[in-house]
């Protein structure tokens, strides 16, 4: 059975047996938090469990490396939508150790595209159009610095108020242990906050 047939067969039973009822919630995050994290398969269930999250608690955005690469990319737009339209009040970037983006190199990546039949002319067209594939397809050297960089892009966004807490963390993909890289509360005494992240 193909993966999609397996998924659809399961889905038919899932809906027929009303297993979805235990997940019922609203589109608004209970903890008023939006999290940007990596698409790594090890974090699929580990991250929510390690943070004590359940369905409906947060808005969860995933991409390769938990990176905000540009202040006007789709990731930043999603963060702003979560803040302005869905009542999120805090933002957290969570990268992870042993991330595949830490070893991504443009040359090797482009070689793989050629092996899959993408002609060199197509790549040259992109380069001639001014697209910097080398930067776009290169990962980071240090996950902590990458998280810090994404936090800074979010914090400095012209459409986000300056007083929005933006946190940065790194999670271990085996143990779930969190390391705080950026405390978004700054000088605010955490004990005075009624809602928000608990480290």
């Amino acid at each position: 059975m193909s993966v999609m047939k397996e998924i659809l067969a399961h889905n038919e039973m899932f809906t027929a047996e009303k297993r979805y009822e235990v997940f019922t919630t609203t589109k608004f995050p209970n903890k008023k938090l939006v999290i940007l994290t990596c698409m790594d398969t090890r974090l699929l269930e580990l991250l929510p469990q390690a943070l004590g999250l359940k369905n409906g608690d947060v808005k969860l955005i995933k991409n390769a490396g938990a990176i905000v690469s540009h202040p006007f990319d789709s990731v930043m737009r999603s963060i702003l939508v979560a803040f302005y339209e869905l009542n999120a009040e805090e933002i957290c970037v969570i990268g992870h150790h042993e991330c595949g983006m830490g070893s991504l190199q443009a040359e090797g990546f482009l070689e793989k595209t050629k092996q899959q039949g993408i002609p060199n002319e197509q790549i040259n067209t992109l380069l001639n159009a001014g697209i910097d594939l080398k930067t776009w397809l290169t990962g980071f050297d240090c996950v902590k610095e990458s998280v810090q960089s994404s936090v800074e892009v979010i914090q400095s966004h012209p459409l986000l108020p300056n007083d929005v807490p933006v946190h940065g963390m790194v999670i271990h993909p085996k143990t779930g242990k969190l390391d705080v890289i950026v405390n978004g509360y700054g000088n605010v005494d955490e004990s005075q906050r009624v809602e928000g992240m608990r480290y």
Side-chain angles (χ1 to χ4, degrees), residues 40 42-43 46 96-99 171-177:
D40 193 289
R42 295 169 290 180
L43 302 182
L46 177 67
H96 69 94
H97 298 289
E98 303 168 13
C99 183
I171 190 170
H172 193 284
K174 183 176 180 182
T175 66
K177 183 183 183 307

Side-chain angles (χ1 to χ4, degrees), residues 173-188:
K174 183 176 180 182
T175 66
K177 183 183 183 307
L178 287 170
D179 296 316
V180 179
I181 308 304
V182 178
N183 180 345
Y185 298 140
N187 295 325
V188 176

Side-chain angles (χ1 to χ4, degrees), residues 5-70:
K5 283 184 178 177
E6 185 179 327
I7 287 172
L8 292 171
H10 172 82
N11 181 256
E12 189 173 341
M13 290 181 62
F14 180 86
T15 53
E17 296 171 5
K18 298 186 178 181
R19 295 188 217 164
Y20 54 83
E21 290 178 346
V22 298
F23 301 106
T24 301
T25 186
T26 72
K27 65 181 181 179
F28 302 103
N30 298 328
K31 294 188 180 291
K32 300 188 180 300
L33 176 68
V34 56
I35 293 175
L36 167 63
T37 192
C38 186
M39 64 182 191
D40 193 289
T41 54
R42 295 169 290 180
L43 302 182
L44 186 63
E45 292 188 47
L46 177 67
L47 186 136
Q49 291 294 313
L51 274 65
L53 302 174
K54 62 182 187 304
N55 201 49
D57 277 350
V58 301
K59 288 296 178 185
L60 190 61
I61 302 166
K62 291 189 169 201
N63 74 355
I67 296 170
V68 183
S69 56
H70 191 279

Side-chain angles (χ1 to χ4, degrees), residues 71-84:
F72 295 99
D73 66 12
S74 61
V75 172
M76 191 64 223
R77 181 179 59 215
S78 295
I79 290 169
L80 291 170
V81 167
F83 181 78
Y84 283 106

